[in-house]
Amino acid sequence: MFAPPTTKLGFRHAVVPVGRWGGRRSGRLVMSGLRPSLLRIQAALPGEEPSTESAKRCCDSSAPGTSSRVLSTVGKSTNILWHECPVGKVERQKLLRQKGCVIWITGLSGSGKSTLACALSRELHYRGHLTYILDGDNVRHGLNRDLSFNGEDRAENIRRVGEVAKLFADAGLICIASLISPYRKERDACRAMLSDSSFIEVFLNIPLEVCEARDPKGLYKLARAGKIKGFTGVDDPYESPLGCEIVIQQMDGKCPTPKAMAEQIISFLDKNGFLQA
């Protein structure tokens, strides 16, 4: 008995029947069982050459039903085009049942930024919300491994994290960025990347003496000994936020617990509609 003829659909090792045999006598292929949609799919799959007319409709901006598209220059990139997708931020937020945003935690080294970020992520996870943390040290293990701690590179470090955080927010996630980010100008630039009020600046206002007493990584000790130059709080300034959304600080000389700090931020998110979509 003869096997039905097959054709490749652009996938490695993948084959599907394209019709049915007309019987032993005819010895010919009957195409009546072939669905027109299969032909369209086959033309669009990788490895198959689309028709000239089809390619023209897809790529020619002057074809009927298409609008004129203008190539742009952004920074050092030339001849680039922004491509829109029918699945946008609103659709992704509805799927996740939350609103994408950036929670930017700033403060001195040792103030507890990473601890707060993890506590916040954990509490939101328990409540069924999707988050992602961009930690200042973690991103330097990969994305920003080519950057040093001089002024220019620190500014570029913040810019890159801001751009990535923007993408996460656009994806509908609650992105938690925890970095010293000592300068207002750089934090404000990250805020300006988002077109709405989805940038939430959290100032972890813990006194320098408390942070230095903690010194979890031993960096203050090295800075005081002159082994680290340009260390924030020692020989480099920290510019406190002037109009941040949330300030977390000591109460009666005691620092709040990570859970209490996380609850303060979650309360803000809930009141401002970020935990539903």
Side-chain angles (χ1 to χ4, degrees):
M1 183 174 182
F2 291 98
T6 59
T7 184
K8 291 185 178 180
L9 286 185
F11 302 104
R12 187 174 297 173
H13 309 307
V15 293
V16 299
V18 297
R20 60 183 177 84
W21 288 103
R24 286 175 186 256
R25 291 186 179 180
S26 63
R28 62 188 178 85
L29 181 65
V30 179
M31 300 302 292
S32 60
L34 182 62
R35 295 172 58 188
S37 58
L38 181 58
L39 291 173
R40 291 195 296 270
I41 294 172
Q42 184 177 0
L45 286 169
E48 301 290 340
E49 291 294 332
S51 67
T52 303
E53 187 62 30
S54 173
K56 182 178 180 181
R57 284 198 302 271
C58 291
C59 304
D60 186 1
S61 62
S62 63
T66 62
S67 59
S68 177
R69 297 182 177 183
V70 179
L71 297 178
S72 301
T73 296
V74 180
K76 296 180 180 179
S77 299
T78 59
N79 299 321
I80 57 175
L81 177 67
W82 184 272
H83 286 273
E84 292 290 347
C85 178
V87 178
K89 183 177 181 180
V90 173
E91 289 74 23
R92 291 187 287 269
Q93 290 182 150
K94 288 181 179 179
L95 180 67
L96 296 173
R97 298 180 181 178
Q98 63 185 39
K99 292 182 180 177
C101 63
V102 175
I103 301 172
W104 194 280
I105 304 174
T106 177
L108 292 170
S109 177
S111 59
K113 299 180 299 299
S114 297
T115 301
L116 171 56
C118 290
L120 177 59
S121 180
R122 182 175 59 248
E123 293 299 323
L124 286 170
H125 179 79
Y126 288 160
R127 289 166 168 78
H129 298 288
L130 186 58
T131 67
Y132 195 84
I133 298 173
L134 294 175
D135 181 82
D137 277 3
N138 289 0
V139 295
R140 283 183 176 271
H141 281 77
L143 175 68
N144 294 344
R145 64 187 306 171
D146 60 321
L147 301 177
S148 70
F149 284 93
N150 63 36
E152 183 179 352
D153 280 3
R154 291 185 78 173
E156 175 61 11
N157 178 63
I158 299 302
R159 188 196 70 82
R160 291 185 191 179
V161 173
E163 291 286 0
V164 174
K166 174 185 174 181
L167 293 176
F168 274 117
D170 185 62
L173 276 68
I174 298 172
C175 181
I176 306 167
S178 55
L179 306 93
I180 294 175
S181 45
Y183 303 119
R184 297 188 193 104
K185 179 181 178 181
E186 294 161 6
R187 296 193 302 265
D188 289 344
C190 291
R191 180 187 292 273
M193 292 178 187
L194 286 88
S195 59
D196 49 25
S197 59
S198 56
F199 186 92
I200 303 160
E201 189 174 17
V202 178
F203 177 29
L204 201 46
N205 187 17
I206 305 300
L208 174 62
E209 57 271 19
V210 175
C211 297
E212 190 167 356
R214 293 173 176 174
D215 203 9
K217 294 182 282 188
L219 299 179
Y220 283 101
K221 184 177 180 180
L222 292 174
R224 294 296 184 188
K227 295 180 180 180
I228 296 179
K229 301 296 184 182
F231 190 76
T232 302
V234 177
D235 57 350
D236 208 52
Y238 176 83
E239 298 176 353
S240 301
L242 298 178
C244 60
E245 283 73 16
I246 301 173
V247 177
I248 297 175
Q249 56 192 357
Q250 292 181 313
M251 298 293 291
D252 299 325
K254 295 182 179 180
C255 295
T257 65
K259 183 177 177 64
M261 293 188 292
E263 290 291 350
Q264 184 176 341
I265 298 174
I266 291 173
S267 177
F268 177 91
L269 295 174
D270 191 30
K271 289 180 180 178
N272 289 274
F274 288 101
L275 301 184
Q276 57 271 334

